[in-house]
Amino acid sequence: VQLQASGGGLVQPGGSLSLSCAASGSIFSINNMGWFRQTPGHQRELVATITRRGDINNADFVKGRFTISRDNAKNTVTLQMNSLKPDDTAVYYCNAAIRRSPDSEYLGYWGQGTLVTVSS
């Protein structure tokens, strides 16, 4: 099972970026999917998660700026980030709880991380 994240880059303050993450491999079902971020010297923190049926949990700092969505048919999760601030600069990681067979448990998988830099 692999999670492939894409969409990071350099953006000016106030700008927008969209991050995408696709899960592939031997997948029976996917439960929660989400995005986390990490800056040097700090722990990885939750940005947003979404259940299979679409229930969303956002970090307080999202404050309506970011929108998480998923496509269950394509095993993808997207994070649309608007009104970006320099404090949003971080490596963003996607995460998914995946079951590989009907008899297996859900295990957490991480993408490789994509760098988002917000700077003028």
Side-chain angles (χ1 to χ4, degrees), residues 67-88:
T67 302
I68 189 171
S69 61
R70 65 187 281 175
D71 186 327
N72 291 329
K74 296 181 179 179
N75 292 336
T76 59
V77 61
T78 299
L79 184 69
Q80 175 64 42
M81 303 185 293
N82 300 323
S83 302
L84 282 160
K85 306 173 183 179
D87 285 350
D88 295 318

Side-chain angles (χ1 to χ4, degrees), residues 41-62:
H42 293 84
Q43 288 188 335
R44 196 170 296 185
E45 64 177 352
L46 167 76
V47 178
T49 61
I50 183 169
T51 67
R52 184 170 181 82
R53 70 176 189 179
D55 296 325
I56 291 171
N57 179 37
N58 287 321
D60 288 343
F61 61 77
V62 168

Side-chain angles (χ1 to χ4, degrees), residues 4-48:
Q4 182 67 44
S6 61
L10 173 64
V11 64
Q12 292 187 342
S16 299
L17 275 179
S18 181
L19 306 182
S20 295
C21 178
S24 62
S26 179
I27 296 171
F28 177 74
S29 67
I30 301 177
N31 197 354
N32 289 9
M33 303 185 82
W35 290 92
F36 293 73
R37 71 185 188 183
Q38 189 171 22
T39 55
H42 293 84
Q43 288 188 335
R44 196 170 296 185
E45 64 177 352
L46 167 76
V47 178

Side-chain angles (χ1 to χ4, degrees), residues 1 3 30-33 36 94-100 105-111:
V1 173
L3 296 183
I30 301 177
N31 197 354
N32 289 9
M33 303 185 82
F36 293 73
C94 60
N95 174 269
I98 296 174
R99 190 163 60 163
R100 300 184 63 180
E105 298 180 344
Y106 282 103
L107 297 177
Y109 291 85
W110 292 96

